[in-house]
């Protein structure tokens, strides 16, 4: 069984992020880390291959400056190899272009299953997995909380507001997984040391058949017109309890239609 | 274009640092207070570290380890310091870097095969038994004796301040085997269940509360020849081989803890309002915190440099001794200021810097007191 996991490398959320005033996008010229939301996908893929008893997990990532720190983490967890697409021409790519590039990197690998996080922790568009499925003309399932392989198809518990739906989907397919549904393993120290010798295939946009004017800012179907500071949170209302404060709280909850 | 914490770090060491910090953040920080109360680090967390290979950085690859050098230990110890529970840090580091290396350096192939799997997995937790009531930094002054007895040795004596010996599984213990030579010491491998080998007392300490510390009594303990570690009468010199590593990890865990204390104090003073502004607006505080950061940066840099010298096979006794003396003193100065700038909260048991201040006090004492370290530097600084 061959599983490809899409992983994004992002600035460490623990560090204060900054916007590039020229491009109005997040600065990404620092050390990047594996997006935590993708670590669930890696874990799920590793468990599926373990359960199948054969096959491998490979990674696909698009990142600036040939950055591979986050990839190394996923390789240390147990993925066998990675494809890294890195090219200055890709800067400014919108989600559809990102999906096209990732799809091109995935296509050659002919996987049984493509797994991605539901949304990245820095961009939050939440659209790339389904766009990859669209580009590759594969079926897709969103918000998976568990995946089991059943012959040539998968059975997925798909998270809903009320619980979950049971969904069956033929392979190959694309599945986006919900964060927090499995406990990502710690990379072992041996895994960390082994990661350095695992193959990372670096590709440019041109290697994947894209002209420079079809990707990045030039090919983006969206434009960032302006960015502004998020408004400060307003101070909340303080209710002094004179013995009747509960009526105000009940009224407040009723206004919100919570009760 | 990965960015590393210092010029000696490789991608792999950086990953080991990051992974260790993440591990202690998730597996130690939330539980440390309970462990302090209990006076014990649960075996389960050590086993988990064993499974992840975190106990075997210095174990040769052919015995299931990673076969790395001093820079890996420096990195690992600094990362452990981020736990803020130095009692946990020292429990691990006594096993991995203070006791373990003696077995690796001096063990016979049979001993390595017999004991290292348990050391790697965390099933055999090690302690190092050198200090005695009348002999600490002065190793040659130990009185515990071992007398040849048939196909083994008969040991008698007392050991004290032995970390990991209450709940651990094996002590690597120094005993005098040549009464006519003060350096005539031999090392022995003594499993905790050995008859006559008793924990006389679990010692009550100023800090490091979740680390167990024992006073040990040996009464006619019989140790067979195959549990002699290294060459008979040469244990003093064999013990000295690991001194620099032991000193280094004590600096490392202290630097990691001091950085955490600085970060917590910066956050507190930038949040805490007083005199019409934040505490951090006061020059007396911000300047001293800036100097504290500079001090810790200097301690960290000197430790990694001495580690790098060791990695190259160079004599680093002077460099590491100086780093230990300087580093462990400034770590205490930094902890003092961090308590001071927390005000009354810094004196409360619920505030982490209160614990870290207590934990740091042992650093200029254990593993070679500051005064001994400075003599190591001074006698190597005589000109001509």
């Amino acid at each position: 069984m061959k599983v490809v996991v899409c992983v994004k490398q992002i600035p460490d959320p623990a560090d204060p992020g900054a916007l590039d005033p020229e491009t109005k996008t997040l600065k990404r010229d620092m050390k990047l880390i594996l997006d935590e939301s993708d670590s669930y996908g890696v874990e799920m893929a590793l468990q599926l291959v373990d359960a199948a008893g054969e096959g491998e997990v490979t990674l696909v990532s698009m990142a600036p400056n040939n950055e591979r720190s986050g990839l190394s983490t996923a390789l240390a967890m147990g993925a066998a190899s990675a494809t890294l697409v890195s090219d200055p021409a890709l800067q400014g790519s919108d989600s559809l272009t990102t999906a096209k590039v990732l799809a091109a990197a995935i296509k050659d690998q002919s996987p049984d299953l493509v797994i991605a996080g539901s949304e990245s922790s820095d961009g939050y568009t939440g659209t790339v997995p389904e766009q990859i499925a669209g580009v590759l003309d594969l079926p897709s399932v969103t918000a998976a909380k568990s995946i089991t392989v059943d012959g040539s198809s998968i059975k997925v518990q798909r998270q809903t507001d009320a619980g979950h739906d049971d969904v069956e989907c033929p392979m190959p397919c694309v599945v986006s997984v919900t964060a927090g549904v499995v406990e990502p393993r710690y990379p072992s120290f041996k895994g960390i040391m082994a990661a350095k010798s695992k193959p990372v295939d670096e590709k440019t946009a041109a290697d994947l058949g894209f002209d420079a004017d079809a990707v990045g800012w030039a090919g983006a179907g969206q434009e960032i017109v302006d960015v502004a500071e998020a408004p400060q949170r307003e101070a909340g209302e303080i209710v002094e309890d004179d013995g009747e404060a509960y009526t105000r709280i009940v009224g407040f909850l009723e206004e919100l239609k919570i009760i | 274009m990965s960015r590393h914490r210092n010029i000696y770090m490789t991608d792999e060491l950086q990953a080991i640092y990051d992974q260790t910090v993440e591990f202690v953040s998730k597996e130690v920080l939330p539980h440390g207070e309970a462990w302090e109360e209990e006076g014990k680090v649960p075996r389960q967390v050590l086993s988990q570290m064993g499974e992840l290979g975190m106990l075997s950085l210095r174990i040769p690859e052919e015995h299931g380890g990673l076969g790395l050098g001093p820079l890996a230990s420096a990195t690992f110890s600094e990362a452990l310091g981020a736990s803020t529970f130095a009692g946990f840090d020292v429990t691990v580091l006594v096993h991995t870097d203070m006791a373990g290396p003696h077995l690796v350096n001096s063990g016979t192939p049979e001993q390595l095969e017999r004991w290292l799997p348990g050391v790697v997995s965390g099933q055999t937790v090690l302690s190092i038994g050198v200090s005695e009531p009348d002999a600490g930094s002065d190793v040659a002054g130990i009185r515990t004796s071992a007398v040849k007895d048939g196909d083994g040795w008969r040991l008698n004596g007392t050991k004290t301040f032995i970390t990991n010996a209450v709940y651990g599984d094996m002590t690597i213990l120094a005993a005098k085997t040549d009464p006519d030579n003060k350096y005539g010491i031999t090392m022995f491998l003594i499993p905790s269940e050995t008859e006559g080998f008793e924990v006389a007392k679990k010692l009550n300490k100023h800090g490091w509360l979740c680390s167990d510390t024992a006073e040990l009594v040996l009464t006619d303990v019989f140790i067979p020849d195959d549990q002699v570690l290294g060459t008979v009468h040469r244990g003093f010199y064999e013990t000295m081989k690991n001194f620099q590593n032991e000193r280094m990890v004590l600096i490392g865990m202290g630097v990691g803890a001091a950085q955490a204390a600085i970060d917590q104090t910066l956050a507190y003073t930038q949040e805490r309002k007083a005199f019409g502004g934040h505490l951090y607006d006061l020059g007396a505080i911000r300047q001293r915190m800036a100097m504290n950061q500079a001090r810790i940066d200097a301690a960290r840099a000197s430790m990694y440099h001495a580690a790098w010298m060791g990695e190259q096979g160079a004599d680093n006794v002077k460099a590491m001794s100086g780093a230990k003396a300087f580093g462990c003193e400034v770590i205490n100065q930094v902890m003092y200021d961090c308590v001071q700038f927390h005000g009354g909260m810094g004196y409360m048991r619920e505030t982490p810097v209160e614990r870290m201040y207590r934990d740091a006090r042992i650093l200029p004492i254990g593993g070679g007191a500051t005064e001994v370290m400075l003599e190591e530097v001074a006698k190597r600084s005589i000109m001509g």
Side-chain angles (χ1 to χ4, degrees):
Chain A
M1 176 169 195
K2 178 154 193 172
V3 185
V4 170
V5 185
C6 300
V7 295
K8 189 169 184 182
Q9 302 175 83
I10 64 169
D12 190 338
D15 297 332
L19 293 178
D20 182 332
E22 211 166 285
T23 64
K24 303 182 184 68
T25 55
L26 193 60
K27 283 187 177 177
R28 297 173 185 278
D29 56 353
M30 67 288 285
K31 180 188 170 194
L32 303 178
I33 65 167
L34 177 65
D35 188 342
E36 189 186 351
S37 69
D38 287 328
S39 64
Y40 301 103
V42 174
E43 179 61 38
M44 216 176 245
L46 291 169
Q47 289 184 13
L48 285 170
V49 168
D50 280 348
E54 54 84 28
E56 65 177 15
V57 175
T58 62
L59 311 168
V60 170
S61 185
M62 183 171 123
N65 306 319
N66 300 89
E67 175 63 42
R68 55 168 75 185
S69 299
L71 275 182
S72 296
T73 303
L75 290 168
M77 287 173 72
S81 63
T83 301
L84 172 62
V85 188
S86 191
D87 191 329
L90 292 168
Q91 190 188 8
S93 293
D94 60 11
S95 62
L96 181 57
T97 306
T98 303
K100 286 177 179 173
V101 170
L102 292 175
I106 292 166
K107 193 173 184 180
D108 289 344
Q109 302 189 35
S110 305
D112 299 299
L113 181 62
V114 178
I115 290 179
S118 286
E119 58 184 3
S120 63
S121 304
D122 59 345
Y124 288 107
T125 66
T127 55
V128 171
E130 291 68 47
Q131 289 173 323
I132 291 172
V135 173
L136 293 174
D137 198 21
L138 293 176
S140 82
V141 182
T142 58
K145 55 185 282 195
S146 80
I147 307 171
T148 50
V149 175
D150 184 15
S152 60
S153 63
I154 55 169
K155 289 182 173 173
V156 176
Q157 287 188 346
R158 185 178 175 278
Q159 187 132 23
T160 67
D161 288 342
H164 71 263
D165 293 334
D166 289 315
V167 179
E168 196 166 337
C169 181
M171 292 193 288
C173 59
V174 179
V175 181
S176 65
V177 302
T178 305
V181 293
V182 286
E183 185 66 38
R185 67 193 66 188
Y186 290 111
S188 72
F189 279 12
K190 277 193 176 172
I192 288 171
M193 299 305 290
K196 68 179 172 185
S197 54
K198 290 183 176 178
V200 177
D201 185 13
E202 294 189 7
K203 289 188 182 296
T204 63
D207 291 338
L208 295 171
F210 293 97
D211 292 334
D213 58 3
V215 294
W217 293 112
Q222 64 184 32
E223 183 185 357
I224 303 170
V225 179
D226 193 18
V227 290
E229 290 280 332
Q232 292 279 345
R233 283 179 63 182
E234 291 180 14
E237 180 188 353
I238 296 172
V239 180
E240 295 287 344
D241 187 11
D242 56 0
E244 299 294 320
Y246 70 93
T247 59
R248 179 69 194 92
I249 293 169
V250 169
F252 178 69
L253 294 175
E254 283 175 344
E255 277 173 34
L256 294 176
K257 297 188 166 49
I258 291 174
I259 57 173
Chain B
M1 49 180 260
S2 297
R3 295 205 176 157
H4 297 146
R5 304 187 73 255
N6 62 55
I7 59 170
Y8 305 111
M9 264 194 189
T10 59
D11 286 348
E12 290 70 40
L13 290 183
Q14 180 66 50
I16 283 171
Y17 178 88
D18 293 342
Q19 166 73 19
T20 305
V21 170
E22 186 182 352
F23 182 87
V24 298
S25 301
K26 290 183 178 171
E27 308 295 339
V28 178
L29 257 174
H31 312 294
E33 286 294 353
W35 301 350
E36 293 271 293
E37 289 284 324
E38 204 179 342
K40 183 179 184 181
V41 173
R43 183 56 66 93
Q44 179 271 334
V45 75
L46 299 174
S47 300
Q48 189 183 3
M49 294 180 80
E51 280 173 26
L52 291 169
M54 298 176 81
L55 304 179
S56 49
L57 285 168
R58 306 298 296 277
I59 308 281
E61 288 182 270
E62 61 269 30
H63 291 288
L66 297 176
L68 296 175
L71 281 168
S73 291
T75 304
F76 182 56
S77 61
E78 190 196 352
L80 284 177
S83 79
T84 80
F85 287 91
F88 164 78
D89 306 343
V90 79
T91 300
V92 174
L93 291 170
V94 163
H95 176 75
T96 58
D97 282 274
M98 300 187 205
H102 293 287
L103 180 56
V104 170
N105 291 340
S106 304
T108 63
E110 293 75 23
Q111 287 170 337
L112 299 182
E113 197 173 324
R114 180 176 174 191
W115 302 109
L116 281 185
V119 173
V120 168
S121 70
Q123 300 305 305
T124 306
V125 173
L126 299 176
S127 57
I128 178 83
V130 177
S131 295
E132 298 185 0
D134 295 320
S137 294
D138 177 20
V139 176
I142 65 168
R143 292 183 182 175
T144 295
S145 67
V147 177
K148 195 75 180 91
D149 183 2
D151 56 358
W153 295 77
R154 192 69 65 179
L155 279 71
N156 284 281
T158 304
K159 295 287 174 184
T160 195
F161 309 146
I162 310 304
T163 302
N164 287 358
V166 179
Y167 303 118
D169 304 291
M170 185 161 73
T171 302
I172 297 174
L173 189 138
K176 190 71 72 74
T177 45
D178 182 356
D180 299 327
N181 176 0
K182 70 174 183 173
Y183 299 111
I185 289 169
T186 303
M187 306 301 289
F188 295 88
L189 294 162
I190 310 188
S192 56
E193 68 275 12
T194 304
E195 193 178 342
F197 184 51
E198 307 283 346
V199 176
K201 197 193 293 181
K202 181 180 177 185
L203 298 169
N204 203 5
K205 303 187 295 297
H206 177 58
W208 284 4
L209 297 186
C210 64
S211 153
D212 61 281
T213 310
E215 183 175 304
L216 302 170
V217 172
L218 298 93
T219 310
D220 286 333
V221 173
F222 180 77
I223 299 298
D225 285 332
D226 65 2
Q227 287 173 218
V228 169
L229 182 62
T231 308
V232 172
H233 304 328
R234 297 289 299 171
F236 177 81
Y237 305 99
E238 287 167 359
T239 302
M240 284 173 62
K241 280 185 199 164
N242 195 50
F243 276 178
Q244 309 323 313
N245 198 66
E246 186 172 330
R247 291 164 185 166
M248 179 183 70
V249 297
L250 287 167
I251 311 167
M253 61 180 271
V255 164
Q259 187 62 62
I262 287 174
D263 293 346
Q264 290 181 17
T265 305
L266 290 175
Y268 181 79
T269 55
Q270 288 172 29
E271 182 77 21
R272 171 78 174 173
K273 289 187 174 163
F275 310 113
H278 293 110
L279 280 181
Y280 194 69
D281 297 334
L282 302 172
I285 288 179
R286 59 193 289 142
Q287 293 241 331
R288 240 162 79 190
M289 287 308 293
M291 181 58 87
N292 283 332
Q293 185 62 67
R295 285 168 165 156
I296 289 305
D297 287 345
R300 180 190 289 114
S302 63
M303 173 192 70
Y304 276 106
H305 180 68
W308 172 80
M309 289 177 72
E311 192 103 358
Q312 311 306 308
D315 181 343
N316 65 349
V317 177
K318 184 178 176 183
M320 193 63 81
S321 301
K324 168 79 166 52
F326 172 75
C328 294
E329 293 293 333
V330 300
I331 287 161
N332 273 270
Q333 293 165 13
V334 168
M335 293 300 189
Y336 178 93
D337 279 357
C338 289
V339 169
Q340 183 73 14
F341 296 155
H342 273 77
M345 284 308 295
Y347 199 59
M348 296 296 112
R349 285 279 163 133
E350 66 194 76
T351 308
V353 294
E354 183 276 335
R355 179 185 67 251
M356 294 157 80
Y357 173 74
R358 279 186 287 111
D359 285 346
R361 187 62 191 88
I362 185 65
L363 294 176
I365 301 171
T370 295
E371 295 72 20
V372 176
M373 294 297 89
L374 292 176
E375 277 305 307
E376 293 292 330
V377 176
K379 69 189 181 192
R380 287 170 175 77
S381 304
I382 296 169
M383 309 299 283

